[in-house]
Amino acid sequence: MSTRGNVWIFIEQEGGKIAEVSLELVCKATELAKRLGTKSEAVILGDKLDGKFDVLFHYGCSTVYQIEDKALEPFTVLPYAQALVKLLKQHKPNILLFGATLKGRELGPRVASEMLCGLTADCTDLQIDDFEDKINKANYKDKLMQIRPAFGGNIIATIVNTWEDPQMVTVREGVMKLTTPDTSKKGKIVKITPELSPETKVMKVIERVRKPKSVDLKKASIIVSGGYGVGTKENFKLVEQLAEALGGQVAASRAAVDAGWINHDYQVGQTGVTVRPKLYIACGISGSVQHVAGMNESAKIIAINSDPEAPIFSVAHYGIVGELNDVIPKIIKAFKAKV
Amino acid sequence: MKRQLMVFVKQVPDTKNISGEAMTPEGTVNRAALPAIFNPEDLNALELGLQLKEKYNFKVIVATMGPPNASEVLREALYRGADEAILITDRAFAGADTLATSYALSCCVKSIGNVELILCGRQAIDGDTAQVGPQLAEKLNIPQIAYVEEVIDASGKSIKARRAIEGGYEILESPLPTLLTVIDANEPRPASAKGIMKYKKAKTRSEVAKQLRDADYTEAAVLAEKETILRSKNLWIHEWDAAKINADVNRIGLKGSPTKVKKIESVVLKAGKVVSIEPSEAGINGLIRELIEDHTLG
């Protein structure tokens, strides 16, 4: 009989709505738990959560720990950290996953520091394997391999947490795939009222302004993306026209966002959104590793660039060496003629 | 006593401008291929610290943990207006992950005492973890405000700051001391010519000792005298080791790091079979026809 703890997911919610990345993590956690012979369990914090969290069971969780307190809405880091640390000490999960969101990346380190355990940021893959620590001559069985890009995406590192559980990671949004939910699955909800100390309530939220994201790139099946090679804000309209003509969504590389041609919601890549559409058209994008990390799983990639040596061509299925203001109108014309 | 704030900065390899291969044939990171720079968001943190200095008369103490030549970023900070600089350096710190690093930095803050505000860049471009700020706040048992865009008020015993949240912003108020992690939301000032003229002579003890050795002066008395002179001109960069900041040797460096690196691999873009399309009407018509036929388009 193993004494190993379960695989936990921190479920991020805003106004009772569960973040997409949390569901992605439930799917991954369920897969890891299956491999380890344990269970996947979710923990969600807030106030007056109405408990419509069946979707967590449908994706594979067996238990949802629902922690409720007035101080947990809206999110502030101190009460969240304390409530979570108490629960971790009580249940000793083997693994704890956070989405690498603003909240997850603020809360995760605070919790890991207090638990004195390791934390690996922005993982893009998680696997179970054994680990031999050659320096300290120690062997570890069935550890979580925490795989992440580092040095600006130029290397991929596999990290292992060798201290006490939980093995904690934050995971980048959009990289873990959703499985097919099974709506017949049910589970247990455990309601918890945390006893939060007064020191956790010293921060005040004076004003909070949120506007919905202007675009959901992850849902687009055709993406037309512009990079620095587009040249000017005026020229960026070409990219938009192509997207419109193909019934696709416009997007951009970081360079185009930094140049001020389009806002950050449209950014694909390591510091933006990870996408895998049916078709990705990269216009004037050189293809830095940071950008490629966010789009190289697209089913079809067309690269248009005037520089035949641009690295984007090495991940593309179709390469067009040419000027955008020549090539894009030709594509629009060809498509309109065929449809 | 003057109000004090600290800015933690880091010297990092310039991962955005990589020349040559990032990896050596032996599979280690080739730092020689990467020039060392002031971590970009730490410049934003410094800028915010200097604005607070101008507005509320804070003394700005800048500190970094790193190898001896990381003193370069401290001089860069002095050029821009920092008042005092500390290099935390010791072989025992080598191999530290974010937990061991934040512990060492917390020891430094405690050694100074009476620090009302701690500013860090959100993240460093070598690891991109954004963990050290929040972990340092936890180690010091103080509140944190992550992703700060601007400080609205720090005149009293609390701080009001605007910070980014998913899809918007928030204004938070927190009692001092508080730690802020700062994002790329201000325009860091350049080094001033006056600052460079004065502080290019700022040195750590090791740098002074090396200078003297090169000139064949080895007596301790000469070093001590030089130290007195530099201190009197505010050109002395403090160099603190693990003992000086009372760090527990079991909690720093590799020993204090729960995470181990199992392996690192260079990212090689998969050399796919790219089909070249002529930028002519015929070439593009052919491509579009193919994509419509396989139902990618239309």
Side-chain angles (χ1 to χ4, degrees), chain B residues 226-256:
Chain B
K226 188 93 185 174
E227 177 179 340
T228 310
I229 295 168
L230 288 176
R231 276 183 188 272
S232 71
K233 295 181 176 166
N234 194 28
L235 293 172
W236 185 249
I237 297 177
H238 303 279
E239 189 174 330
W240 291 357
D241 62 10
K244 168 77 186 175
I245 58 173
N246 295 311
D248 176 350
V249 291
N250 291 309
R251 296 186 64 184
I252 58 173
L254 265 183
K255 226 177 178 179

Side-chain angles (χ1 to χ4, degrees), chain A residues 102 105 113 158 300 314, chain B residues 123 138-139 147 270 294:
Chain A
L102 292 182
R105 279 159 57 95
S113 179
T158 302
K300 288 268 165 67
S314 64
Chain B
Q123 65 189 36
E138 192 284 328
K139 290 276 166 278
Y147 324 120
K270 60 170 196 272
D294 72 8

Side-chain angles (χ1 to χ4, degrees), chain A residues 7-229:
Chain A
V7 182
W8 277 28
I9 314 100
F10 166 74
I11 303 294
E12 192 173 320
Q13 60 88 16
E14 185 70 49
K17 191 179 176 303
I18 294 173
E20 179 94 356
V21 63
S22 299
L23 298 178
E24 295 163 8
L25 296 187
V26 168
C27 298
K28 188 67 188 179
T30 303
E31 177 199 317
L32 294 171
K34 200 172 162 196
R35 162 73 177 77
L36 292 164
T38 58
K39 290 172 180 158
S40 62
E41 300 184 315
V43 51
I44 187 163
L45 298 86
D47 185 34
K48 300 192 182 87
L49 296 165
D50 63 0
K52 289 198 188 83
F53 303 134
D54 290 347
V55 64
L56 300 172
F57 301 129
H58 299 163
Y59 280 113
C61 279
S62 61
T63 307
V64 174
Y65 296 96
Q66 189 176 324
I67 311 181
E68 288 174 298
D69 189 287
K70 230 169 52 210
L72 297 174
E73 198 65 59
F75 170 88
T76 51
V77 71
L78 298 179
Y80 262 66
Q82 189 178 65
L84 199 51
V85 165
K86 275 189 182 174
L87 202 66
L88 294 175
K89 287 185 172 164
Q90 189 187 345
H91 291 273
K92 300 186 170 56
N94 177 228
I95 290 169
L96 171 58
L97 311 179
F98 292 84
T101 57
L102 292 182
K103 280 182 195 167
R105 279 159 57 95
E106 182 179 13
L107 176 63
R110 186 99 199 178
V111 171
S113 179
E114 191 165 351
M115 297 293 290
L116 292 179
C117 61
L119 173 65
T120 300
D122 280 337
C123 291
T124 50
D125 194 9
L126 299 170
Q127 294 166 8
I128 303 296
D129 201 353
D130 297 341
F131 174 59
E132 184 191 357
D133 181 353
K134 286 179 184 139
I135 300 167
N136 298 306
K137 299 198 171 50
N139 283 290
Y140 303 87
K141 202 172 160 41
D142 288 344
K143 290 299 261 186
L144 183 68
M145 300 294 118
Q146 307 161 2
I147 299 163
R148 72 177 303 256
F151 280 90
N154 294 284
I155 63 169
I156 297 285
T158 302
I159 315 281
V160 184
N161 177 14
T162 57
W163 286 11
E164 298 271 302
D165 288 347
Q167 303 170 79
M168 286 177 53
V169 295
T170 66
V171 179
R172 189 170 300 160
E173 294 176 77
V175 298
M176 301 300 173
K177 289 185 182 122
L178 286 177
T179 54
T180 312
D182 176 351
T183 50
S184 69
K185 277 192 180 161
K186 290 186 169 51
K188 187 171 68 175
I189 290 183
V190 180
K191 288 203 179 195
I192 296 157
T193 308
E195 279 153 29
L196 297 169
S197 60
E199 310 92 83
T200 65
K201 298 175 189 172
V202 295
M203 295 177 75
K204 286 191 209 94
V205 179
I206 295 177
E207 194 184 332
R208 199 161 194 271
V209 178
R210 289 183 74 247
K211 50 180 190 314
K213 256 199 165 182
S214 34
V215 61
D216 188 359
L217 290 178
K218 286 203 270 184
K219 292 209 164 43
S221 63
I222 296 172
I223 291 177
V224 183
S225 195
Y228 199 68

Side-chain angles (χ1 to χ4, degrees), chain B:
Chain B
M1 194 178 146
K2 210 168 181 182
R3 299 177 75 186
Q4 298 191 119
L5 69 80
M6 286 190 77
V7 184
F8 280 103
V9 302
K10 189 179 185 186
Q11 189 181 45
V12 292
D14 187 358
T15 54
K16 300 280 185 293
N17 292 301
I18 290 174
S19 53
E21 284 296 312
M23 304 283 290
T24 62
E26 292 75 40
T28 58
V29 175
N30 182 11
R31 283 179 183 267
L34 308 170
I37 59 165
F38 201 120
N39 180 55
E41 284 181 330
D42 296 351
L43 277 176
N44 296 111
L46 176 64
E47 175 58 36
L48 189 57
L50 295 171
Q51 290 173 8
L52 294 172
K53 170 183 171 170
E54 287 156 359
K55 210 160 169 188
Y56 305 107
N57 201 24
F58 275 99
K59 173 181 177 184
V60 175
I61 304 168
V62 59
T64 191
M65 183 169 107
N69 52 14
S71 58
E72 195 49 44
V73 290
L74 296 176
R75 270 185 293 274
E76 288 275 335
L78 292 167
Y79 298 160
R80 288 168 167 80
D83 297 297
E84 201 170 333
I86 302 163
L87 174 66
I88 308 161
T89 190
D90 195 318
R91 279 183 174 279
F93 293 129
D97 69 4
T98 62
L99 186 73
T101 300
S102 57
Y103 169 73
L105 300 187
S106 74
C107 293
C108 173
V109 177
K110 286 174 184 166
S111 304
I112 294 168
N114 289 314
V115 177
E116 287 184 55
L117 265 174
I118 298 168
L119 281 64
C120 306
R122 173 193 51 157
Q123 65 189 36
I125 59 170
D126 51 353
D128 290 320
T129 74
Q131 288 176 186
V132 170
Q135 286 178 317
L136 174 56
E138 192 284 328
K139 290 276 166 278
L140 295 168
N141 199 21
I142 62 172
Q144 73 196 43
I145 306 178
Y147 324 120
V148 168
E149 296 169 346
E150 63 170 312
V151 169
I152 292 163
D153 183 36
S155 55
K157 290 191 181 318
S158 68
I159 183 162
K160 229 184 265 178
R162 177 181 150 133
R163 62 101 162 232
I165 59 172
E166 225 85 49
Y169 71 89
E170 217 173 47
I171 294 171
L172 290 176
E173 183 173 0
S174 176
L176 298 175
T178 283
L179 180 143
L180 314 180
T181 78
V182 182
I183 58 173
D184 177 19
N186 59 32
E187 199 60 55
R189 67 194 67 190
S192 76
K194 217 173 118 201
I196 296 173
M197 283 305 287
K198 173 163 187 195
Y199 287 103
K200 67 182 180 193
K201 297 185 201 102
K203 295 265 184 298
T204 63
R205 181 188 303 275
S206 301
E207 285 166 337
V208 173
K210 184 177 179 302
Q211 223 176 19
L212 293 175
R213 264 199 315 278
D214 291 348
D216 279 336
Y217 288 106
T218 50
E219 301 93 39
V222 182
L223 179 60
E225 190 189 328
K226 188 93 185 174
E227 177 179 340
T228 310
I229 295 168
L230 288 176
R231 276 183 188 272
S232 71
K233 295 181 176 166
N234 194 28
L235 293 172
W236 185 249
I237 297 177
H238 303 279
E239 189 174 330
W240 291 357
D241 62 10
K244 168 77 186 175
I245 58 173
N246 295 311
D248 176 350
V249 291
N250 291 309
R251 296 186 64 184
I252 58 173
L254 265 183
K255 226 177 178 179
S257 300
T259 57
K260 308 283 178 229
V261 177
K262 189 185 182 197
K263 66 173 176 187
I264 49 177
E265 294 161 285
S266 188
V267 173
V268 184
L269 297 180
K270 60 170 196 272
K273 274 178 254 136
V274 56
V275 178
S276 255
I277 306 289
E278 280 303 309
S280 62
E281 272 190 32
I284 286 165
N285 282 343
L287 170 64
I288 297 303
R289 195 179 313 119
E290 189 178 329
L291 292 174
I292 290 173
E293 277 166 9
D294 72 8
H295 303 290
T296 299
L297 275 179

